[in-house]
Amino acid sequence: MTRKRGISTRQIHHPYRAPAGWNAVPVPVAKASTVLFRDTADLHDYKPRDGKSYRYGLHGTPTSYTLAARLATLEGAEHCLLTPSGLAAITLVSMALLRPGDEVLVPDNAYGQNRYLTESFLPQFGITHRFYDPLDAAGFKSLIGDKTKLVWLEAAGSITLEFPDLLGLIAACRERGVITALDNTWGAGVAFDPFALAHGVGVDISMQALTKYPSGGADVLMGAVYTRQQALHDKLNWTHEHLGYGVASNDVELVLRSLPTLELRYHAQDASTRTLATWMQSRPEVARVLHPALPGSPGHEHWLATSSDGAACLFSAVFKPEYAMAQVDAFVDALQLFGIGYSWAGPMSLAVPYDMSRSRSLATPCGEGVIVRFAIGLEAEADLRADLEQAFAALR
Ligand SMILES: *Cc1c(COP(=O)(O)O)cnc(C)c1O
């Protein structure tokens, strides 16, 4: 009589395998820390991190490889690396490409955490930086020196939403052989093609906070780094491995689920954002509305030169100088449909007041006024307008 194995052993080593041939629309969620090898020969066979083989859960699963491949197509790239957040994607690029003695140039309106990384973390490694005006390509050119090894770009910039002279800035970097990296969270792979902008000009690297549009649900933190160049990808991949960046398959599943509606959501949110931004320009309390598609907004002409297919769900209103921060805060508190919070491109609209005098090195288009950045979600545009109207009434 054969010995009966224990309950746990029989569960863990259960011989049943579901029949092959399963086929459905969603990508199966593969979860693992341990990846099992067939035998010791398979174990000893070196498996490079090439996005094709399996070695360890951290290094990729069928689920994460599928997301990376779909995102690379969206971005017009050859290679994609997934990171645990958008910020981790930024850190990956800077850590992979910068060495002691190097300098990085960052736009003055860069995402706040990129500024913070550059100002307070990178100096520990002997990496210096300068902030530049993204609208002034001629002035930018004179900042590029022998130590400059990386230039960050962001289109449109954070909060004040100036659209940079991408073509001019990239041309200046090309001339000096400096690598360009674009934070493409705003464009999301829909508004323009970062690797093939007008006249065939493109960036070397792009990254996205998948936390925003690709998730779309305000429920995932994830990032991605893209390139078309094998040598650059190898460098990024090597650093990615050493930093121990991994993504959880349940999160990957959520992004995979949202990608088919990305383009529809992008355009729907774009349409209601532009309608509300245009309406906001007529408000007597507002000095200026910042949105790259509005004529007169900073960088509008660069947006026209670059963008073929839209704008993100963000606009900012600069309040007239007679409204102090406390009054603008009261306006934001009076809003009922707008949440107060940072991570945009989800279903709910958001509003955040900012005092720009504390977060920039160079001049901003805000003048003396307090700014409110609005992120438009998926609510009915007429409901959002009615909410803004009643909050303006509270301001007076
Ligand atoms: C949100 C955001 C990031 C960072 O993404 P997280 O996933 O929140 O770390 C980076 N860049 C831009 C432009 C963003 O809006």
Side-chain angles (χ1 to χ4, degrees):
M1 205 183 93
T2 54
R3 220 186 115 262
K4 196 173 176 185
R5 285 172 168 172
I7 290 173
S8 305
T9 310
R10 281 185 287 142
Q11 284 300 315
I12 298 163
H13 296 270
H14 202 290
Y16 177 81
R17 295 288 176 272
W22 169 255
N23 196 13
V25 177
V27 178
V29 181
K31 305 209 315 183
S33 50
T34 290
V35 171
L36 295 175
F37 298 93
R38 277 192 313 278
D39 49 31
T40 49
D42 185 25
L43 174 79
H44 295 314
D45 182 23
Y46 174 70
K47 293 183 175 60
R49 292 196 61 194
D50 55 3
K52 296 180 191 115
S53 55
Y54 304 112
R55 191 168 60 175
Y56 190 63
L58 189 62
H59 299 167
T61 65
T63 318
S64 67
Y65 287 161
T66 304
L67 178 60
R70 291 188 182 183
L71 288 170
T73 301
L74 171 69
E75 193 79 349
E78 292 292 324
H79 310 280
C80 169
L81 292 166
L82 300 174
T83 59
S85 67
L87 177 57
I90 292 172
T91 311
L92 171 61
V93 173
S94 284
M95 296 296 283
L97 299 175
L98 296 168
R99 296 290 173 267
D102 290 349
E103 182 169 76
V104 55
L105 302 183
V106 177
D108 197 40
N109 58 5
Y111 174 63
Q113 294 293 323
N114 193 358
R115 258 193 99 92
Y116 191 48
L117 176 86
T118 304
E119 281 182 312
S120 52
F121 186 77
L122 296 183
Q124 299 181 107
F125 303 96
I127 296 161
T128 59
H129 63 273
R130 278 191 274 180
F131 293 112
Y132 68 90
D133 175 352
L135 297 174
D136 178 12
F140 166 79
K141 214 165 163 172
S142 67
L143 293 179
I144 302 180
D146 294 336
K147 288 166 56 181
T148 312
K149 293 291 149 56
L150 173 66
V151 170
W152 274 104
L153 305 162
E154 194 174 320
S158 281
I159 325 261
T160 39
L161 298 166
E162 299 96 329
F163 203 96
D165 180 1
L166 274 184
L167 300 176
L169 296 170
I170 294 169
C173 293
R174 281 280 154 86
E175 222 169 86
R176 301 291 299 269
V178 177
I179 295 172
T180 50
L182 171 74
D183 184 332
N184 193 32
T185 302
W186 185 94
V190 177
F192 53 88
D193 191 346
F195 293 97
L197 298 160
H199 318 302
V201 177
V203 297
D204 297 306
I205 295 169
S206 76
M207 58 73 46
Q208 274 197 41
L210 305 178
T211 307
K212 307 290 166 50
Y213 280 109
S215 147
D219 53 359
V220 181
L221 288 153
M222 205 180 291
V225 176
Y226 307 89
T227 182
R228 282 185 172 181
Q229 301 165 42
Q230 185 67 49
L232 266 182
H233 173 69
D234 291 344
K235 232 176 186 175
L236 291 161
N237 196 21
W238 187 81
T239 307
H240 186 268
E241 182 166 4
H242 285 288
L243 289 176
Y245 282 170
V247 290
S249 290
N250 289 118
D251 288 347
V252 170
E253 176 197 22
L254 290 174
V255 180
L256 281 168
R257 194 178 199 273
S258 295
L259 283 183
T261 60
L262 169 75
E263 185 186 17
L264 296 175
R265 287 184 281 108
Y266 196 92
H267 291 310
Q269 285 169 271
D270 181 6
S272 43
T273 302
R274 284 197 222 190
T275 306
L276 289 166
T278 305
W279 171 79
M280 186 69 86
Q281 281 183 312
S282 68
R283 290 298 311 192
E285 301 86 348
V286 171
R288 191 166 192 198
V289 175
L290 307 172
H291 182 299
L294 295 182
S297 208
H300 172 65
E301 66 281 9
H302 303 311
W303 175 78
L304 285 178
T306 310
S307 178
S308 50
D309 208 15
C313 60
L314 299 172
F315 71 89
S316 289
V318 183
F319 280 66
K320 288 189 174 158
E322 65 249 41
Y323 297 103
M325 190 80 200
Q327 285 169 285
V328 177
D329 282 347
F331 163 82
V332 171
D333 284 329
L335 291 166
Q336 288 166 8
L337 297 180
F338 288 79
I340 301 170
Y342 290 115
S343 185
W344 44 279
M348 187 190 286
S349 294
L350 304 169
V352 179
Y354 290 93
D355 174 1
M356 295 314 292
S357 64
R358 283 190 274 146
S359 53
R360 292 288 161 83
S361 312
L362 310 173
T364 74
C366 303
E368 299 291 297
V370 175
I371 189 169
V372 177
R373 187 196 68 183
F374 295 94
I376 303 306
L378 291 164
E379 302 96 333
E381 177 237 305
D383 295 335
L384 295 175
R385 186 189 306 212
D387 191 30
L388 291 164
E389 267 166 355
Q390 66 78 26
F392 274 123
L395 183 64
R396 283 194 304 270

